[in-house]
Amino acid sequence: MPTPDKAAAVAELTDKFRSSNAVVLTEYRGLTVAQLKQLRRSLGENSEYAVVKNTLTKIAANAAGISSLDDQFTGPTAAAFVTGDPVVSAKGLRDFAKDNPNLIIKGGVLDGKALTADEFKKLADLESREVLLAKLAGAMKGKQTQAAQVFQALPSKFVRTAEALRAKQAEQGGAE
């Protein structure tokens, strides 16, 4: 029979799983409290990093419809619940793990799809959402500029052709 505290913890974790864009599971064995504090700061403001109990978190994940993480709930586990741009948090985890080899990324979920640790590292190599949107806008603006130049060239070419034809007709009319 679950205690009220455990039931409340499962309910809270279930809400976090449902409201997060991504959840990254890590092993934090060997990290100090100061290092964990530094890790929380490096994840960004749209992420929450919490040390979790494996059994309760597994129950909460299953209640949220995520069963792909079941085999990752072994050993000391902490979860990063990401509500903002997952790329920013993935970069923060990757960079922190480079400096602190005791942090091991186990895997996680991104928009309901299970990701391995390697896939999260690839996600960290992406540029942020804002940069990608700016590049897309720049590419679209460039295409619009090219299209405007083509459309503008057609009337001016027509005018030049008509002027050349008129001049040729005037020349032929004057030659007769």
Side-chain angles (χ1 to χ4, degrees), residues 132-149:
L132 291 174
L133 287 174
K135 284 185 176 184
L136 176 65
M140 291 173 71
K141 182 180 178 186
K143 294 297 178 189
Q144 288 176 342
T145 302
Q146 288 175 346
Q149 289 171 350

Side-chain angles (χ1 to χ4, degrees), residues 13-33:
L13 287 169
T14 303
D15 287 342
K16 286 181 183 179
F17 273 106
R18 287 184 178 146
S19 64
S20 299
N21 298 337
V23 178
V24 185
L25 298 179
T26 65
E27 184 175 319
Y28 63 93
R29 187 183 322 219
L31 294 177
T32 64
V33 172

